[in-house]
Amino acid sequence: MTLRLDSDLLRTFLAVAESGNFTRAAETVGRTQSAISMQIKRLEEVVGEVLFERGARGVTLTQRGGDLVENARRIVMLLDETASSMRSAPLGGPVRIGLPEEYGQPVLSRALGAFAKRHAQVEVTVRFGYSVSQLAALAAGELDLAVVFEWQAPSGVEVLMHDPTVWVTSNHHDLHQERPLPVAIYTREGWCRELALRSLDQRGIDYRFAYTSDTTNGLTLAVTAGLAVAPIARSNIPADCRELAAAEGFGPIDTTRVVLHRNPRAVSEAVDAMADAIRDAFHQRR
């Protein structure tokens, strides 16, 4: 027998699941508590399963309720995206983005995927590079949006996420126990190299340069291959690798923020939409 799931029931279900309380869910969706209770009862009748366990302090998901949550979120998100695309006229024109290399695959691919579904006619240009060069390009009018690392005093622009740099090692090697410590480091001079080496000096860790690279992908390769430990943004620690903690004599290198700068002269709906897509992609990343 085919289940016919009503999207309105799914929205109410998600409101209850996320709030853990019928009263707060009623406030969220703008209905009465009794209406919320009736909708949840109706949804449970449709699926033939109890979705919430009721208690004195609220409700919690049953196992079947937990199974439904992720699918319900996808369904509601797809419906919202479809409604938005139908309401909005397709945008056109150029959008120029500057982005750190390490966020290309995990963040930009998600942002572009969501953006292209709605605005296939927009011409997108992406420049990967270091924060200093991206800000210079933004000031010169060569970029519309720039995602950069901010490690000094806050500039007041939008913070997309906090992503500190940490020392990373392979799970399959014990290089962090060697002295001098084999490190992979950026070839170029800059704040990341300076702060990384300073963190070792402050902890009294003797080190040697085992590998240098001009890119984050190069540092990641050195770690996964078991050549060295390396400074990598926490959100980009590769598979089969881990952060070296304070208990091991290491700890965070900095307290970097990832921020979004916008060219004040870049005034267009296409740039607005791309900024929203980047913001959403980083939100999902967190």
Side-chain angles (χ1 to χ4, degrees), residues 39-51:
Q39 285 193 306
I40 295 300
K41 181 179 179 181
R42 174 57 183 155
L43 182 60
E44 290 179 330
E45 290 173 350
V46 170
V47 300
E49 300 279 355
V50 176
L51 301 175

Side-chain angles (χ1 to χ4, degrees), residues 42 75 139 143 150 154 163-164 168 218 225 235 262 265:
R42 174 57 183 155
I75 291 168
L143 292 175
E150 185 175 79
D163 200 7
V168 175
S235 73
R262 177 167 179 164
R265 297 182 296 279

